[in-house]
Amino acid sequence: MSRYQTLAEQTEKLIVDGVLRPGEKLPSVRNACRIHDVSPITVTQAYYLLESRGLIEARPKSGYFVRARLGKNLPEPEMTHPVGGSTELQVSDFIFQILDSVRDPSVVPLGSSFPSPYLFPLDKLGRYLANAARRFDPLATVTDLPPGNEELRRQLALRYLAQGANVSPQEIVITSGAMEGLNLCLQAVTRPGDLIAIESPTFYAGLQASERLGLKVIEIPSHPREGVSLSALTDALRHHPIKACLFMLNFANPTGSRVSDENKKALLELLRRHDVPLIEDDVYAELYFGQQAPLCSKAEDRTGLVMQVSSFSKSLAPGYRLGWVAAGRYARAIQRQKLSLSLATTIPVQIALADYLKQGGYENHLRHLRNTLATQEATLVQAIERYFPPGTKLARPQGGYFLWLELPAGVDTLSLHQRALSEGISIAPGPIFSAKREFSHHLRLNFGHPDSARLDAAMASLGRLIAS
């Protein structure tokens, strides 16, 4: 074993043993040379090796930090196997009952769908918003009607261009959050009684939107790390009159799965052959943990079939309710749906976020946010390993802020939800992510909130409730 490999092994042991904890900074190359009496090239090679193993990460102008991709002691859940056939939805009352429980700020928000608002530059955004209100042009009440503020759409088009996607500002429609965007897309390509494909498990908001529009759904199996099954989707398209697919390809809610770049291209080609549009809920794409962003599906969309829905709610501006649809061939239809549904998105907010993007700083914020979420993920995984009983299975995400767990078969997460609430802890039980209320012993946990003694105590209590 060479000297750099020996140094890497020693450092890895310190990470695994918890001496070096997630988020802690490693000695600089200069200090490591002095401590270990080795050359700079030895330290650099050792750090590169640790980085390739996912244990540490380089942060620009800051050095190397422990990333600690732990969780090796926990097996991974397998591919889901939803019951076949289409389903008429009756889920809203059930979901609302669960969601009402997570609004209380005194409850530890492990079941929340939102990251901590303290992770975002809300003070800075507030100054941009105040400035936009002060210099508000009355003509903007007309000019910024759908598809939306021209400068904001141009800034979004530039971000797509940086991802290798040639998206015209004319096909971008500004919406009041991603939820409105999803509804507009569904309304543009379906009618009541139509069948759409969703992954299983899936984000409950998509189920609610589909139910409201009178749609039927067919659930496509999904792997908790690799995402929707292409073979199952191929079979479903062959045998069912599917009008659209509603998928999350990047860090899906609730599993955190990511469809690989290769499979993403194959998926888009499959849908092109069948001329079936893809409604992609892509709100977590900016929250990747590695050095490389996932492939943007719009970069591979040659025929305009992809309607990519996103927003700033999860990456920059929670509460501002500003999203968009890169709508491809459906831009005109979605623009008309927007006009008839809500007329316009709040114009000063559009102006403020356009100015923020134009002035820069968004990328620096995103780098810090990604590093913070990666650290918080490692911390929550360590708590699961420490407190949860044998038989727990865990899917490790490559981004986002959710963990998907499969608990021992005897655990009913709906009952667990009620018991946890009585102790001031919210969780998201598995059945709310299924049209047929499957996944009775699964749950989703949110790691988008900073580590604290309160959070650790909640995980200890939750582990005790599961074991009992």
Side-chain angles (χ1 to χ4, degrees):
M1 186 179 295
S2 66
R3 298 195 73 182
Y4 83 87
Q5 290 174 318
T6 300
L7 177 56
E9 294 294 333
Q10 292 171 346
T11 307
E12 179 174 353
K13 187 175 188 307
L14 292 174
I15 293 172
V16 172
D17 291 345
V19 178
L20 292 173
R21 302 192 64 189
E24 289 186 341
K25 186 176 182 179
L26 271 66
S28 67
V29 172
R30 178 181 297 178
N31 286 338
C33 290
R34 179 179 53 81
I35 294 168
H36 300 285
D37 192 24
V38 294
S39 68
I41 190 64
T42 297
V43 176
T44 301
Q45 287 179 315
Y47 283 0
Y48 283 166
L49 181 58
L50 291 168
E51 191 174 20
S52 70
R53 295 175 181 175
L55 292 169
I56 68 172
E57 61 186 352
R59 300 182 186 175
K61 299 181 181 179
S62 298
Y64 288 90
F65 291 78
V66 177
R67 187 172 167 194
R69 303 290 292 164
L70 302 177
K72 295 180 180 178
N73 297 329
L74 299 175
E76 183 177 71
E78 299 177 356
M79 178 79 78
T80 62
H81 299 283
V83 178
S86 64
T87 304
E88 292 191 15
L89 295 171
Q90 294 181 335
V91 297
S92 283
D93 288 343
F94 173 65
I95 291 172
F96 283 129
Q97 179 185 4
I98 300 295
L99 297 185
D100 283 343
S101 66
V102 303
R103 298 181 181 181
D104 185 348
S106 67
V107 173
V108 180
L110 291 169
S112 172
S113 291
F114 307 100
S116 169
Y118 299 105
L119 298 177
F120 303 96
L122 296 180
D123 287 346
K124 186 174 184 179
L125 290 174
R127 292 192 290 273
Y128 279 95
L129 184 58
N131 186 51
R134 280 195 300 270
R135 60 182 182 85
F136 182 71
D137 182 353
L139 289 178
T141 59
V142 177
T143 60
D144 288 358
L145 289 175
N149 178 268
E150 183 178 2
E151 180 60 28
L152 177 59
R153 290 183 291 117
R154 188 179 78 87
Q155 290 296 324
L156 292 172
L158 288 173
R159 292 194 65 78
Y160 276 112
L161 188 61
Q163 300 175 65
N166 188 13
V167 174
S168 167
Q170 302 309 311
E171 75 164 272
I172 297 175
V173 181
I174 304 300
T175 63
S176 299
M179 193 63 235
E180 184 184 52
L182 292 176
N183 278 276
L184 294 174
C185 291
L186 286 169
Q187 288 175 280
V189 296
T190 66
R191 297 293 179 268
D194 282 349
L195 179 67
I196 66 168
I198 62 172
E199 57 208 309
S200 178
T202 192
F203 182 38
Y204 50 74
L207 296 176
Q208 290 174 304
S210 301
E211 180 181 6
R212 187 182 66 81
L213 296 173
L215 302 175
K216 298 178 181 179
V217 301
I218 183 167
E219 295 181 293
I220 308 299
S222 178
H223 189 277
R225 177 169 38 82
E226 300 173 354
V228 64
S229 166
L230 294 186
S231 60
L233 178 60
T234 300
D235 187 65
L237 288 168
R238 187 181 299 121
H239 293 98
H240 298 278
I242 294 172
K243 298 296 184 182
C245 294
L246 175 56
F247 295 150
M248 281 187 176
L249 305 183
N250 298 315
F251 320 124
N253 182 353
T255 61
S257 66
R258 173 191 164 185
V259 176
S260 69
D261 292 352
E262 180 181 355
N263 284 351
K264 196 175 293 182
K265 292 177 183 178
L267 169 65
L268 295 175
E269 175 59 24
L270 173 65
L271 296 182
R272 186 197 63 77
R273 291 199 304 270
H274 288 270
D275 199 36
V276 172
L278 168 65
I279 303 171
E280 182 186 4
D281 186 349
D282 200 37
V283 295
Y284 305 105
E286 298 277 20
L287 306 181
Y288 56 91
F289 293 162
Q291 300 299 312
Q292 186 67 38
L295 174 71
C296 177
S297 61
K298 293 297 290 184
E300 297 295 323
D301 181 23
R302 311 303 182 198
T303 56
L305 275 172
V306 176
M307 292 171 276
Q308 191 176 70
V309 181
S310 193
S311 82
F312 290 112
S313 296
K314 308 300 191 295
S315 61
L316 177 65
Y320 277 50
R321 302 306 305 150
L322 194 143
W324 67 91
V325 182
R329 68 170 74 165
Y330 305 99
R332 185 67 173 167
I334 290 174
Q335 180 179 338
R336 290 180 174 180
Q337 291 283 354
K338 170 67 178 175
L339 281 165
S340 63
L341 182 66
S342 60
L343 188 61
T345 299
T346 305
I347 293 170
V349 170
Q350 294 188 58
I351 296 171
L353 289 179
D355 288 345
Y356 177 84
L357 293 177
K358 188 175 181 180
Q359 296 300 320
Y362 188 32
E363 287 301 327
N364 286 334
H365 159 71
L366 285 174
R367 279 194 292 270
H368 178 73
L369 178 61
R370 293 171 193 138
N371 290 334
T372 299
L373 291 175
T375 297
Q376 291 174 185
E377 188 260 3
T379 300
L380 196 65
V381 168
Q382 287 180 321
I384 292 169
E385 288 188 320
R386 186 182 307 122
Y387 297 124
F388 281 32
T392 299
K393 296 182 180 180
L394 170 68
R396 297 302 303 278
Q398 300 176 51
Y401 52 88
F402 295 121
L403 291 175
W404 180 247
L405 291 90
E406 179 181 340
L407 303 178
V411 178
D412 177 2
T413 52
L414 290 176
S415 297
L416 178 65
H417 159 74
Q418 294 293 339
R419 295 182 66 188
L421 269 185
S422 68
E423 298 197 15
I425 306 164
S426 76
I427 62 169
I432 70 173
F433 302 103
S434 168
K436 297 183 175 71
R437 303 188 186 183
E438 298 183 51
F439 308 107
S440 61
H441 60 287
H442 295 69
L443 65 92
R444 187 199 70 190
L445 296 181
N446 182 323
F447 59 82
H449 294 259
D451 183 30
S452 65
R454 180 171 177 247
L455 181 63
D456 189 72
M459 290 296 291
S461 296
L462 191 57
R464 173 179 49 80
L465 291 174
I466 294 169
S468 66

